[in-house]
Amino acid sequence: MKEFISRNRSFILASVVVLILVSLMSFTARERERISALERALAEVTLPLVKGFSQFGTGVGNWAVAIAESGHLRAENEQLRDQLGRVTALEIQLRELTTENERLRAMLDFKASTSYDMVAARVVGRSPDNWYQTVTIDKGEADGVARNMPVLTSRGLIGRISKTTAHSATVMLLFDPDSGVGAMVQRTREAGLVDGQLGSPYLRMQFFSRDAQAAPGDMVITSGLGSLFPAGIVIGEVVKVEQGQYGLVRYADIKPAPDYGKLAEVLVLKSTAPTPTK
Amino acid sequence: MAYVVIAVIMVAALITDATFLTHLIVAGVKPDLPLLLVTSFGLLYGPRTGFLSGLLGGLLQDLLYGRVVGLFALTKAVTGYLAGLATGKVYRENPLVVAAAFVAAALIHDGLFYLIFWNSGHQVFTLGVAGLLGVSMLYNGMTGPFIHRWVYSWNIFERTKRLFDRNRRRQAGVAGL
């Protein structure tokens, strides 16, 4: 026995390590309320480096792009795209608010407001692997950012806060396979759940009804069900609708409204309830 | 001591991957710098070093950017160990063989991650994953030989040992006075 152990020491040790890792994985597989002190400390210690690298990277990236394109055209194009995105988002929001207003007026004579308590943050990093879809932002608990707060850009929802430290936070993007948001098609009011699929360039919406009438071109917005996300935030546009296996479920592929490849500044919604206007 | 240096290198590689290399994303994929380093350590120093550096790099990735602690530690440790089995068979003089080793490492690492992920009941778009895997293998195969050359010429273990010996001799000299 002793001889067997000494002969296969390395293999036995490696097996023990693998067993420990597998049990560690099963312990941490479920979403945790708080991250460990070690994770928190590592994130805090490396944050200045991440910020520095990020700024350097952005600088070099911008420089390379500026060489590739004409600087003037790029700036103008960016500005116009941003304006168009804002106008589209506003238009959709306006339409949503109008229908909501009509319904509420009729029922309660209720005056709604869209003023939320928000904090702006800069994206300083992305998950280093090619599988998880997360970004790191430079605002954390010290700025009032907490787990599960919705994160958006001027074009729409991008995800929610999954981890926080004192001065940084991790945003789980809607593309992440672990994400999930209650949604509905703006035109037909059909509700469902939108989440990410590993390897897919689109978000996937699973309708609650198998007879959903959504069609390509329809806008998808948050439904407000589930209490994490307020209703009426733009998610994206339907590009394809299909029936699941055996015809029991109906799915839609959603092209997200924000450009996930160019996330630079984001807004964290500190409160999902609108602040009442006086 | 060398593993402390490896840990520091791994943290730097992770931060570079999370920030600077996001500008080099091609078809949704960027080079996995920690994986390239682990593969290189395995190829140069054998299964034990490959396994340990993979375990260290993966664990740091899990703690810094991961969600399930142990997932990347496992995938990188296994990849490092398997790369180590090819020690002595892959020479830096033949860049094609080195590139092939990095392609295989990406396949093992990403394939293992995908299997664990799929087994845990997540939604997977198989065609998209196959595409990501293909691009990842190609990207790692193209960038790996450059990292391997750097790791080879830097010779981390020999340098750390020399530094350690020099400090020890200096301390012994001071004690002798």
Side-chain angles (χ1 to χ4, degrees):
Chain A
M1 185 69 179
K2 251 183 186 174
E3 201 182 318
F4 174 80
I5 293 172
S6 63
R7 208 186 303 151
N8 299 295
R9 209 170 134 251
S10 299
F11 182 74
I12 292 168
L13 273 174
S15 306
V16 170
V17 171
V18 168
L19 269 176
I20 292 170
L21 289 176
V22 171
S23 21
L24 204 60
M25 277 160 65
S26 62
F27 271 121
T28 53
R30 270 181 240 124
E31 218 174 308
R32 289 173 288 162
E33 203 58 49
R34 284 182 73 81
I35 56 171
S36 67
L38 187 60
E39 286 167 277
R40 184 177 286 267
L42 267 170
E44 282 293 308
V45 166
T46 53
L47 184 63
L49 275 173
V50 172
K51 276 186 181 172
F53 271 57
S54 176
Q55 268 170 4
F56 179 67
T58 310
V60 173
N62 287 346
W63 179 73
V65 171
I67 287 175
E69 302 171 19
S70 154
H72 175 69
L73 276 178
R74 188 176 148 259
E76 197 179 336
N77 192 13
E78 196 69 25
Q79 202 182 347
L80 287 171
R81 268 174 192 274
D82 198 44
Q83 265 178 10
L84 185 68
R86 255 183 251 194
V87 170
T88 313
L90 272 174
E91 194 199 328
I92 291 156
Q93 206 175 3
L94 189 70
R95 220 184 299 158
E96 181 59 20
L97 279 174
T98 314
T99 48
E100 186 189 27
N101 204 11
E102 279 168 8
R103 282 196 323 273
L104 291 174
R105 253 176 208 278
M107 287 191 300
L108 296 164
D109 196 26
F110 177 75
K111 277 186 183 175
S113 162
T114 52
S115 52
Y116 292 102
D117 186 12
M118 295 182 186
V119 59
R122 187 181 285 272
V123 174
V124 290
R126 265 179 182 269
S127 47
D129 58 279
N130 296 315
W131 307 100
Y132 285 135
Q133 298 289 334
T134 59
V135 293
T136 309
I137 56 169
D138 66 349
K139 293 282 160 65
E141 288 156 7
D143 310 283
V145 174
R147 217 175 136 252
N148 287 333
M149 283 180 174
V151 184
L152 42 143
T153 67
S154 61
R155 294 181 189 187
L157 186 73
I158 59 156
R160 66 181 166 94
I161 302 288
S162 63
K163 267 200 266 188
T164 55
T165 66
H167 301 101
S168 71
T170 304
V171 181
M172 186 196 286
L173 301 177
L174 291 182
F175 266 114
D176 195 287
D178 283 334
S179 78
V181 51
M184 68 172 165
V185 176
Q186 193 176 36
R187 182 179 62 86
T188 60
R189 319 303 293 176
E190 287 154 343
L193 186 78
V194 168
D195 55 15
Q197 259 193 125
L198 193 72
S200 172
Y202 297 117
L203 300 170
R204 173 151 269 216
M205 180 171 182
Q206 185 183 332
F207 291 104
F208 294 146
S209 161
R210 63 178 172 179
D211 305 315
Q213 297 298 309
D218 280 342
M219 287 309 296
V220 176
I221 55 172
T222 51
S223 64
L225 293 174
S227 77
L228 283 186
F229 302 93
I233 304 176
V234 177
I235 294 174
E237 186 187 326
V238 175
V239 287
K240 196 171 92 182
V241 183
E242 61 185 6
Q243 206 75 24
Q245 232 180 350
Y246 314 116
L248 295 174
V249 202
R250 204 159 169 79
Y251 294 105
D253 281 346
I254 316 286
K255 187 184 175 208
D259 187 347
Y260 281 69
K262 288 179 183 167
L263 294 175
E265 280 99 21
V266 295
L267 294 164
V268 182
L269 231 65
K270 285 165 79 175
S271 154
T272 53
T275 316
T277 44
K278 286 176 186 167
Chain B
M1 186 63 191
Y3 285 101
V4 176
V5 180
I6 287 180
V8 173
I9 293 173
M10 286 296 177
V11 170
L14 281 166
I15 294 174
T16 308
D17 238 356
T19 56
F20 197 66
L21 292 189
T22 54
H23 298 276
L24 298 178
I25 293 177
V26 175
V29 173
K30 57 179 178 279
D32 190 337
L33 210 49
L35 176 67
L36 296 179
L37 286 167
V38 167
T39 310
S40 196
F41 286 136
L43 288 174
L44 288 170
Y45 303 113
R48 188 173 175 269
T49 308
F51 182 84
L52 288 175
S53 55
L55 183 70
L56 197 60
L59 207 54
L60 283 165
Q61 184 169 353
D62 284 326
L63 293 171
L64 267 169
Y65 294 101
R67 202 166 302 151
V68 181
V69 180
L71 182 53
F72 284 114
L74 183 67
T75 52
K76 285 201 163 55
V78 169
T79 312
Y81 179 82
L82 293 176
L85 295 181
T87 310
K89 296 180 184 80
V90 177
Y91 298 101
R92 82 185 171 102
E93 284 76 15
N94 191 337
L96 269 181
V97 180
V98 175
F102 279 94
V103 168
L107 176 67
I108 292 163
H109 178 266
D110 290 357
L112 196 57
F113 178 90
Y114 165 70
L115 277 179
I116 296 170
F117 209 74
W118 173 72
N119 197 38
S120 62
H122 283 86
Q123 278 201 68
V124 169
F125 178 55
T126 316
L127 206 66
V129 167
L132 282 178
L133 200 63
V135 179
S136 168
M137 284 158 66
L138 201 69
Y139 219 160
N140 280 275
M142 281 162 69
T143 46
F146 297 102
I147 298 290
H148 192 59
R149 187 176 280 251
W150 176 76
V151 173
Y152 179 86
S153 60
W154 206 60
N155 201 356
I156 184 173
F157 285 93
E158 194 51 43
R159 271 180 198 243
T160 319
K161 191 170 169 285
R162 252 186 275 155
L163 186 78
F164 208 53
D165 287 348
R166 204 189 304 154
N167 281 346
R168 211 164 25 196
R169 274 201 302 274
R170 201 177 294 159
Q171 276 169 0
V174 171
L177 285 173

